[in-house]
Amino acid sequence: MGLVLFPGDDDVTSPDVSWSYTGFHMFREWLAQAEGFTLSEMHGFDGDRSWSSVSTTLAPLLDHPDDGGPDLAPAQCAAMLPRLEAIIDERQHEGSDTVLARRIDDTRQLITVMKFCLDKDVEIIFG
């Protein structure tokens, strides 16, 4: 069982990105690290640190229930895209580690879905 993020356009041919729940957690840990904090310290991830104590445009993705919860609005996608693209630029030169390659590929897939959602003016659904 896993998690799929997909456009809310009712078209099964639209792009999507998927993870196991463990894989999604590891992806978010990696993004949080890129943003300068540790996900496990945060409220909702066994920590006490408030989300208001971190400044990141990625908060709607990082502080989101694994399934269910609110959809990501096109405006949220638009706000997150530049940072996700910057993370790829920053991290892709760190070596040829297979885990890093997977995280970068996951980020690229997520960017594709977000751009599609912006073009269609639809939300990203967590399913």
Side-chain angles (χ1 to χ4, degrees), residues 22 27 39 42 44-45 50 70 73 76 78-79 90 99-100 105-106 110 113-114 124:
T22 301
F27 176 66
L39 194 62
M42 304 307 295
F45 293 91
S50 167
Q76 291 173 304
E90 293 165 7
V99 172
L100 176 63
D105 184 57
D106 288 345
L110 179 58
V113 174
M114 286 183 168
I124 289 181

Side-chain angles (χ1 to χ4, degrees), residues 51-67:
W51 281 95
S52 63
S53 72
V54 296
S55 178
T56 174
T57 59
L58 303 181
L61 176 66
L62 296 175
D63 183 26
H64 193 284
D66 287 350
D67 54 8

Side-chain angles (χ1 to χ4, degrees), residues 1-5 17-28 65-67 102-103 106 109 126-127:
M1 182 160 205
L3 173 69
V4 179
L5 276 62
V17 59
S18 62
W19 294 271
S20 66
Y21 286 109
T22 301
F24 185 57
H25 181 74
M26 293 183 329
F27 176 66
R28 291 194 293 181
D66 287 350
D67 54 8
R102 172 62 194 225
R103 300 292 173 258
D106 288 345
Q109 288 181 53
F126 284 65

Side-chain angles (χ1 to χ4, degrees), residues 35-97:
E35 293 297 83
F37 64 94
T38 303
L39 194 62
S40 63
E41 295 174 352
M42 304 307 295
H43 184 282
F45 293 91
D46 296 329
D48 295 326
R49 187 172 177 188
S50 167
W51 281 95
S52 63
S53 72
V54 296
S55 178
T56 174
T57 59
L58 303 181
L61 176 66
L62 296 175
D63 183 26
H64 193 284
D66 287 350
D67 54 8
D71 300 328
L72 295 179
Q76 291 173 304
C77 294
M80 287 187 270
L81 274 171
R83 183 60 189 135
L84 291 169
E85 290 169 335
I87 289 171
I88 289 174
D89 289 342
E90 293 165 7
R91 300 291 171 121
Q92 69 184 351
H93 304 292
E94 291 181 359
S96 59
D97 179 325

